[in-house]
Amino acid sequence: MERVYNFSAGPATLPESVLLKIQEECLDVNGSGMSVMEMSHRSFHFESILNKTKQDLMDCLSIPTNYEVLFLQGGASLQFTMIPMNLLKKSKSLDLIHTGVWSQKALEEAKHFGTVNIIATGESSNFREIPTINTDNQSNADYLHYVSNNTIYCTQFHSIPIEHPTLVCDMSSDICSKPIDVSKYGLIFAGAQKNLGIAGLTIVIIRKDLLDTKDLNLPSMLDYAVYAKNNSLYNTPSSFAIYVSGLVLDWIKEVGGLEEIARINQEKANLLYDAIDNSKLFFNNISKQDRSTMNVMFSTLNDELDERFIKFALTYKCDGIKGHRLTKGCRASIYNAMSIEGVKTLIQCMNDFEAQFLKENTHV
Ligand code: PMP
């Protein structure tokens, strides 16, 4: 068996120790005599797993007690619908910072339920820059939506862009990659399949006052209050995915918590961006201050050569670096579970490819 360095944007690489733990507990988890996949979600054993995962997430992100953690399904994409359904209460409008595909999708869904006011957009730079936010553009919106890390365009907010009483953030691709101040937000949501586990689980962290949805007449499965009241067990949850997230949170603790995770993530990003900036062949045209620490875009600016590099990288066991179909080129996703060794291997591979290319193309 030979594992690759998996730079996929998500589902993404998991810590090897987590995979081994899953293997070890496959026939018997916590002395229950069965795997978590076979276990009733109403059993004592599963409720302990769910409660532990929830508490570990609260500890990891220092989530204040006036917040509820919900384990949902339907991907981060269902949140584009649930959020406006649950939060548009007074003005029936929301402010939105437009930074690419994922804010566009949120915008389109929110339009079914209210008015969307775009307070800043990165369109003019083709989303290569995080837009400047003009506070004068703010309205009396029920909430403000933004995406902290733009998985496709590879840009990231390195601090909270603007304060709002109900700040909503899509943290699908950078949750638990660094410490954050949860108290600044009304709602945070994220699919688990990048930094926190596997597909099938969406995590919602919601301030408790926002759970007052009784006047909205919402269908039960789309009502945050129903999930909160039932400890995310209104119906069968994605039990295996919750269990895996619990193991990933144990791993984050073992590594040293979010401060240490953030330090390692920054080190990986610095190594890779330095290699790109020092290269004569590979380029990254994202504004330096807006570059993502999670998804790193690079290209030779020649589609055919990029394709050749992607094939070459496989010989170094570097997989999953083909860029998104919109942005083309290459993209290396270096989430929490990607090792420094993996990033160094990719850099070596880039250097060797470049040297080979320059040799072939230098006529003396
Ligand atoms: N938001 C962001 C920032 C994402 O990167 C993604 C998935 N790549 C989504 C939302 C959608 O997630 P899902 O596929 O879980 O619905």
Side-chain angles (χ1 to χ4, degrees):
M1 186 216 44
E2 199 181 30
R3 282 180 56 79
V4 294
Y5 297 111
N6 177 9
F7 291 93
S8 161
T13 190
L14 285 167
E16 201 162 293
S17 62
V18 166
L19 293 169
L20 290 170
K21 184 79 174 165
I22 295 169
Q23 189 179 44
E24 183 191 316
E25 294 189 329
C26 194
L27 296 180
D28 176 6
V29 65
N30 298 340
S32 65
M34 62 180 97
S35 76
V36 74
M37 292 171 278
E38 305 161 288
M39 194 176 268
S40 163
H41 62 294
R42 305 275 172 216
S43 65
F44 159 78
H45 281 295
F46 183 71
E47 273 204 69
S48 325
I49 290 173
L50 183 142
N51 288 334
K52 184 183 172 300
T53 304
K54 190 167 156 179
Q55 190 57 52
D56 284 349
L57 183 69
M58 297 201 68
D59 295 345
C60 178
L61 282 171
S62 307
I63 301 176
T65 51
N66 62 326
Y67 284 75
E68 188 61 62
V69 170
L70 308 176
F71 296 132
L72 309 184
Q73 300 185 56
S77 300
L78 183 61
Q79 295 314 303
F80 302 153
T81 301
M82 278 183 84
I83 292 166
M85 281 180 101
N86 282 261
L87 300 192
L88 288 179
K89 286 183 190 154
K90 291 191 187 119
S91 69
K92 302 269 178 208
S93 72
L94 60 128
D95 286 347
L96 180 133
I97 304 175
H98 188 19
T99 50
V101 171
W102 299 111
S103 57
Q104 175 73 35
K105 294 216 167 163
L107 185 164
E108 277 157 20
E109 296 308 312
K111 274 192 199 156
H112 291 288
F113 306 99
T115 312
V116 186
N117 174 35
I118 300 177
I119 61 162
T121 173
E123 266 168 306
S124 63
S125 75
N126 225 343
F127 300 114
R128 281 198 298 267
E129 278 173 22
I130 290 291
T132 350
I133 290 121
N134 181 349
T135 42
D136 295 347
N137 292 344
Q138 259 187 297
S139 65
N140 62 341
D142 285 330
Y143 66 94
L144 189 152
H145 181 115
Y146 82 103
V147 185
S148 52
N149 183 70
N150 298 288
T151 327
I152 295 174
Y153 288 98
C154 301
T155 58
Q156 186 175 25
F157 286 93
H158 295 295
S159 57
I160 287 177
I162 187 168
E163 303 255 341
H164 191 280
T166 308
L167 191 58
V168 169
C169 185
D170 178 353
M171 287 193 194
S172 290
S173 50
D174 66 356
I175 193 163
C176 289
S177 67
K178 58 183 176 185
I180 50 161
D181 183 354
V182 173
S183 72
K184 299 273 185 211
Y185 297 88
L187 186 151
I188 293 168
F189 68 102
Q193 66 267 26
K194 300 173 200 296
N195 264 329
L196 266 186
I198 61 169
L201 171 64
T202 309
I203 288 165
V204 169
I205 302 165
I206 182 168
R207 208 174 54 222
K208 284 182 182 165
D209 61 285
L210 299 172
L211 290 168
D212 180 9
T213 56
K214 57 183 180 306
D215 295 334
L216 296 172
N217 194 26
L218 297 176
S220 305
M221 287 293 287
L222 298 169
D223 185 345
Y224 291 132
V226 169
Y227 289 92
K229 200 167 136 227
N230 292 281
N231 193 27
S232 299
L233 290 167
Y234 173 70
N235 72 325
T236 318
S238 48
S239 48
F240 186 72
I242 292 171
Y243 159 76
V244 175
S245 285
L247 298 182
V248 172
L249 287 160
D250 287 344
W251 172 80
I252 291 177
K253 214 186 299 175
E254 276 160 34
V255 172
L258 291 188
E259 298 279 351
E260 181 59 9
I261 287 276
R263 190 194 63 72
I264 301 168
N265 284 336
Q266 193 61 57
E267 185 179 339
K268 289 183 293 184
N270 290 348
L271 283 170
L272 193 47
Y273 283 119
D274 281 352
I276 296 165
D277 291 341
N278 290 325
S279 162
K280 292 191 182 67
L281 184 64
F282 295 103
F283 301 91
N284 170 294
N285 55 12
I286 308 289
S287 279
K288 278 201 179 160
Q289 73 278 7
D290 299 331
R291 286 170 164 182
S292 167
T293 53
M294 298 278 99
N295 311 96
V296 179
M297 189 194 280
F298 56 96
S299 166
T300 62
L301 305 181
N302 172 329
D303 290 352
E304 202 189 312
L305 200 55
D306 285 341
E307 280 302 324
R308 256 176 64 195
F309 175 68
I310 291 161
K311 286 206 183 88
F312 182 80
L314 288 174
T315 64
Y316 284 65
K317 298 197 294 174
C318 293
D319 202 348
I321 58 165
K322 189 173 168 58
H324 188 272
R325 60 189 182 281
L326 277 177
T327 47
K328 297 190 179 160
C330 306
R331 173 180 52 173
S333 297
I334 50 174
Y335 300 124
N336 290 350
M338 173 52 66
S339 60
I340 292 187
E341 183 200 338
V343 172
K344 285 186 174 164
T345 306
L346 177 60
I347 293 169
Q348 186 62 53
C349 167
M350 291 164 80
N351 290 343
D352 292 351
F353 185 79
E354 177 171 335
Q356 194 175 309
F357 175 81
L358 293 178
K359 204 166 130 198
E360 281 166 14
N361 291 277
T362 311
H363 307 289
V364 277

